[in-house]
Amino acid sequence: MANEKDSPLRRNNLDIEAGESGGDDVDNTNPFDITTTKNAPIERLKRWRRAALVLNASRRFRYTLDLKKEEEKAQIRRKMRAHAQVLRAAILFKEAPSKENGVPKLPEAPTGDFGITPDQLLSLTRDHDLNALRQYDGAKKGIPGNDEDILKLKTAFGSNTYPRKKPRSFWVFLWEAWQDLTLIILMVAAVASLALGIKTEGIKEGWYDGASIAFAVILVIVVTGLGLADCSCLAISDYRQSLQFQNLNEEKRNIHLEVVRGGRRVPVSIFDIVVGDVVPLKIGDQVPADGILISGHSLAIDESSMTGESKIVHKDAKAPFLMSGCKVADGFGTMLVTSVGINTEWGLLMASISEDTGEETPLQVRLNGVATFIGIVGLSVAFVVLVVLLIRFFTGNTTNPDGSVQFKAGQTKVGTAIDGVIKIITVAVTIVVVAVPEGLPLAVTLTLAYSMRKMMRDKALVRRLSACETMGSATTICSDKTGTLTINQMTVVEAYVSGKKMDPPDDMSLISPMASGLLIEGIAQNSTGSVFVPEAGGAEEVTGSPTEKAILNWGLKLGMNFEATRSGSSVLHVFPFNSEKKRGGVALKLPDSQVHIHWKGAAELVLASCGSYIDENNSVLQMDEQKMNFFKKVIEDMAAGSLRCVAIAFRDYEAEKVPTDEELLSQWALPEDQLVLLAIVGLKDPCRPEVKVSMQLCRTAGVKVRMVTGDNLQTAKAIALECGILGSGDDAVEPNLIEGKTFRALTDVQRLEIAEKISVMGRSSPNDKLLLVQALKKNGHVVAVTGDGTNDAPALHEADIGLAMGIQGTEVAKESSDIIILDDNFSSVVKVVRWGRSVYANIQKFIQFQLTVNVAALIINVVAAVSSGDVPLNAVQLLWVNLIMDTLGALALATEPPTDHLMHRPPVGRR
């Protein structure tokens, strides 16, 4: 990319700032009317907590976001960054005397297996010392990669992990469970009841009530791990919940990437990276460890996670040092790992901050409101019962089982009167406990936690708890095409070279020698993929994106020697593939000082820049109108057959016009005009077999699926018809089928109107996707978006539910998402919708079940207390009913798996 201004990431950030967000455009006066909690400001989240009296707030909000801790965490991060900078300055000052003329005195080489010590490596990367770096040699083939070698490196330089804060023990959760006010009142009531029973009935008969209450309370605290009990006081449930979130975080951090070992690319976990590994980086990747840039083009790094400044930093030979945890914003390159784990600044930072996983979901917010309201009603009823019973007691209207009056003014002893009052207070306290459904907020947590665990089996990793339930409300899904609706295994099935069709597409004899040489040069050099040839022989191993792999495989069939072709010319400058321009280019310098510029990208866009083509006689002919129309028809026919069309072109360039200054060269915009067309190829990516059934399910469920793709309209239309997004060819008319630039050109009002009708958007840029999401949200839709590229991040962030692809998705896309689809399959997205709806259905069942029992128990006791002065259900009976109801009821109802019947209902919607 030419410079920072042109960065697609930068452009999309500006678009977000300039565009209108669909999430916060309504002024919510009711604090419980929360349209979305995603990315909501802290002040807004504080507002609803202040809205009403919340009983046992410290317990009620156990699984919701600790707002105070969030602010503290931000301060800790700022302090850590400042501390790291101060530490670096202090070390540089301390080591200043050991330098002569600015060149550090390096210690003698260690006697071990490696030519450098961990301390030297740490000093090298921490100080960003170029002079010291030049005194060491690196290897571009990486480490040999055998187990013994990796073990030695881990022993010498450490592993790419860092110590975590010890999780709280079970006993801590048990201790916290005792801190609940309602439980303390119950325990006091239990002690009073025990003392009263023993006093009045003797130790043999009188211990039952008090001991039963005490046992019920202890069982509430230490309930089985899958149980759910009153007062939200669950030591084991809390403990298991914390372990589950810890495991979830481990899964989120376990990024898989490719490293070069022994000259070949091998996939490894980020935790298995060792010092000496060579790691290829491309747009959207996360830098996995500290290291130095070996080679790269237009590489720009977003270091905001480390420095706190949202500034894109360009990396080259003058500034080759890379910091762990940062994101690749633009370009590509190869890095050598020099520090891992705790030896990196990112490792030090992460080891000092424990990740807080709690957050409130809209359903939890509403349930907290409901529980608070019912709690207030319960308190009121208990107070009324208390007053009525006390009046009846002191007016002599309360009798013993034998018919005698319990209290006679001036005759009853004070001790006996106090015993009677304690019994009445115990009944009132028990009514409070039964009336207040404090199990509600924890019921939703249990349902969400259960759903999250089960969704992992359905290939969906939930990063944001609220996404589980929000997905059940989804009214529309904006889906990618490649890899999500299709199987993402590209192959070249049709090719036009030298102005005519190749049949078969890999028949070398049909290509002129000149076109063949230039085509192979362009395929090999203008690619971010690679080809590894095993030394022991065997088939070549091709790596890269599906499109790159397909074209490289085609090149190999045409006789391409990848390594020889790449070493036959030197790269002057690279324009990485850009989803805005939908093309990528490279400038090469040949041994005879000639300069060739190769372009590859969307067929109709590259063709528009071509002024000539090479025919079968090695002649370069001008592109007349007839030939141009011929190639346009070729592209249309390929697209109509659901093929992805890619054009490959080149041009000569005057060597003297190429900038010689390194800085000017890095900002040089490659010429895009007067290109010579070399080939147009059609790549086939078949539709996933299960997608059609998933589309039918979505239609039945009232969820509209829209395809948003960078491919041209004809290809998009063919795939949409194949997978069932478009019912028939009659539906494939505007505005159902629309091009990105057409949608972009509409006014805001027109977009809101057209957005409802769009089923397929072709040739869309990331900004078009963002505009569509914003328009749909303004129309009241709950929008789910799938994406895999760095440029999808704004749309994923803006959507109500962002779904990133786990296999092809970049780290930037995953970081912006709420759910990661581990198998990149659209049917997994539909399973997430089912689970989301299941959450709502289960909570509704639980509320109906709990409130029915609560209201029935309340009415019986209140009526009986007012009419007869006694209650048919005593404290022990009410406690056990409540305990069994909450525990078994929630366990049965909150963990019910989703059924197909859920997909026959309309979506719940935003409100």
Side-chain angles (χ1 to χ4, degrees), residues 554-571:
W554 182 58
L556 291 172
K557 290 175 183 175
L558 295 178
M560 175 182 72
N561 184 325
F562 185 76
E563 286 299 330
T565 308
R566 298 237 335 175
S567 59
S569 56
S570 59
V571 176

Side-chain angles (χ1 to χ4, degrees), residues 46 49 82 104 124 264 266 301 332 490 510 523 528 622 679 712 720 852 891 904:
K46 280 180 179 174
R49 297 188 182 187
L124 184 78
R264 69 194 294 180
V266 290
I301 304 290
F332 61 88
M490 296 278 192
L510 300 173
I523 291 172
T528 54
Q622 285 299 113
N712 70 46
T852 303
L891 184 60
H904 294 282

